[in-house]
Amino acid sequence: MNRINIERKISALLAAFLLCATTVAAQKAERKNVRDGNKEYRQDKYTEAEVAYRKSIEVNPRSVEGIYNLGNTLYKQEKYPEAAEQYQLIAGQGERLMQEDPDNNAQRLAHVFHNLGNIGMKTQEYQKSVEAYKQSLRLNPINDETRYNLALAQKLLQDQQQQQQQQDQDQDKQDQQDQDQQEQDKQDQQDQQDKQEQQNQEQQQQQQNEQQKTQEEPQPNEQMSRDNAQQMLDAFLQDEKDTQEKVKKAQMQKQQSRKREKQW
């Protein structure tokens, strides 16, 4: 039993030693990659620095130095969304970092939020810039550059909000005009349709009236013109007159004949 316990203790010590050795080796590799990255960074070789910093993070995914410096080199390459992602990883560890080393990590976190504010300025996300600069000043109240950037971000945010408000008002006005125009076009179309229907009804009514008139009136060969009727009337009156004159003449002749008979 004692021998077994001793062997177990030895195995545990060996495992701890190997773990410690592995950890030490990883830390050395991490620091070496960070140093290599810093060397390239100081020479403005940001692509090479990025490669070195990423290697340090592969060895230790929680490497504060590697993540922070990777964010810086990405910022220098104007890869702002990628840089912001790295800075956010540091900010997410803020509570732990402040517990481990409040003095040094407060400055580092202040730089992280300052850089996040700068990224917001680059991408015209001024609201994010204002919040980031404020957080940076909470960690380092004496940074005049951050204070100036905060004032500038607030002014740009105000201008942006006013511009957006004006654009919204213009858009609402344009939308209302478009709606009014659509309604007017619809009304004009309806009025045109109503007018066309009215014209069609009047035309149909006129055609019906003409057809009905044609059916009621006699055909041209059966119709007696006014002149013909007047001529027939005049002829009838003339015949009547002639007849009356003949009757009067006959009566006169008869009276004359009676007078002569009496004289004889």
Side-chain angles (χ1 to χ4, degrees):
M1 292 295 295
N2 292 333
R3 183 178 179 181
I4 295 175
N5 290 334
I6 293 174
E7 290 179 351
R8 287 178 178 177
K9 289 181 179 180
I10 293 174
S11 297
L13 289 173
L14 287 174
F17 176 77
L18 291 175
L19 179 61
C20 181
T22 301
T23 302
V24 171
Q27 291 176 345
K28 288 182 178 180
E30 175 191 348
R31 287 195 295 269
K32 179 180 182 302
N33 288 321
V34 169
R35 287 196 299 269
D36 291 343
N38 292 343
K39 180 179 177 180
E40 301 293 347
Y41 186 91
R42 286 191 292 268
Q43 297 178 5
D44 297 337
K45 297 180 179 179
Y46 301 121
T47 302
E48 292 80 355
E50 178 185 348
V51 174
Y53 293 138
R54 290 191 183 278
K55 287 181 179 179
S56 71
I57 296 173
E58 289 177 0
V59 176
N60 180 14
R62 299 182 65 183
S63 173
V64 176
E65 292 287 345
I67 296 172
Y68 175 74
N69 291 346
L70 176 60
N72 290 341
T73 192
L74 290 170
Y75 181 89
K76 288 291 187 178
Q77 297 177 79
E78 298 183 356
K79 299 178 180 180
Y80 300 123
E82 294 89 338
E85 183 178 355
Q86 300 304 316
Y87 292 140
Q88 290 291 356
L89 290 175
I90 299 296
Q93 302 180 51
E95 184 176 354
R96 178 180 66 82
L97 294 175
M98 291 298 293
Q99 291 176 353
E100 292 177 356
D101 189 354
D103 295 334
N104 291 330
N105 287 335
Q107 293 296 322
R108 177 171 293 167
L109 287 169
H111 291 155
V112 165
F113 286 109
H114 179 92
N115 291 344
L116 283 170
N118 290 347
I119 291 175
M121 296 285 278
K122 294 288 186 180
T123 57
Q124 297 184 355
E125 297 176 288
Y126 301 122
Q127 183 65 54
K128 292 183 178 180
S129 293
V130 169
E131 297 302 325
Y133 288 138
K134 286 182 177 180
Q135 186 63 29
S136 179
L137 287 172
R138 293 187 184 100
L139 296 165
N140 184 14
I142 63 174
N143 191 316
D144 291 336
E145 182 181 358
T146 303
R147 186 175 292 103
Y148 171 81
N149 288 359
L150 173 60
L152 178 59
Q154 288 173 329
K155 177 63 170 63
L156 293 174
L157 175 61
Q158 182 181 5
D159 294 343
Q160 186 183 59
Q161 290 174 340
Q162 290 177 350
Q163 183 180 8
Q164 184 62 46
Q165 184 179 6
Q166 183 63 43
Q167 290 178 353
D168 293 341
Q169 291 176 354
D170 293 342
Q171 185 62 46
D172 292 341
K173 183 178 179 181
Q174 183 63 44
D175 292 342
Q176 184 63 43
Q177 290 177 348
D178 292 342
Q179 183 178 357
D180 293 343
Q181 184 62 45
Q182 291 177 359
E183 292 178 356
Q184 183 63 42
D185 293 341
K186 184 177 180 180
Q187 184 62 42
D188 291 342
Q189 184 178 5
Q190 184 63 42
D191 292 343
Q192 183 65 28
Q193 292 178 353
D194 294 342
K195 182 178 180 181
Q196 184 64 41
E197 291 178 359
Q198 181 66 27
Q199 291 178 348
N200 293 338
Q201 292 177 358
E202 292 177 354
Q203 186 176 4
Q204 291 176 358
Q205 185 64 39
Q206 184 178 1
Q207 291 176 352
Q208 292 177 358
N209 292 339
E210 290 178 354
Q211 292 177 355
Q212 184 177 4
K213 183 177 180 181
T214 301
Q215 294 173 356
E216 292 176 353
E217 292 179 350
Q219 296 299 321
N221 57 351
E222 298 177 355
Q223 182 179 2
M224 180 179 297
S225 67
R226 181 176 297 180
D227 294 339
N228 291 337
Q230 186 64 43
Q231 290 177 0
M232 292 180 65
L233 178 59
D234 292 343
F236 173 78
L237 294 175
Q238 185 63 41
D239 291 342
E240 182 68 19
K241 184 177 180 181
D242 292 343
T243 301
Q244 291 179 356
E245 288 180 352
K246 288 180 180 181
V247 171
K248 289 175 68 175
K249 187 177 181 180
Q251 290 178 349
M252 291 177 63
Q253 289 178 356
K254 185 176 181 181
Q255 291 177 356
Q256 290 177 0
S257 175
R258 289 178 178 177
K259 289 180 179 181
R260 284 196 298 265
E261 290 178 355
K262 289 181 178 181
Q263 294 176 354
W264 289 345

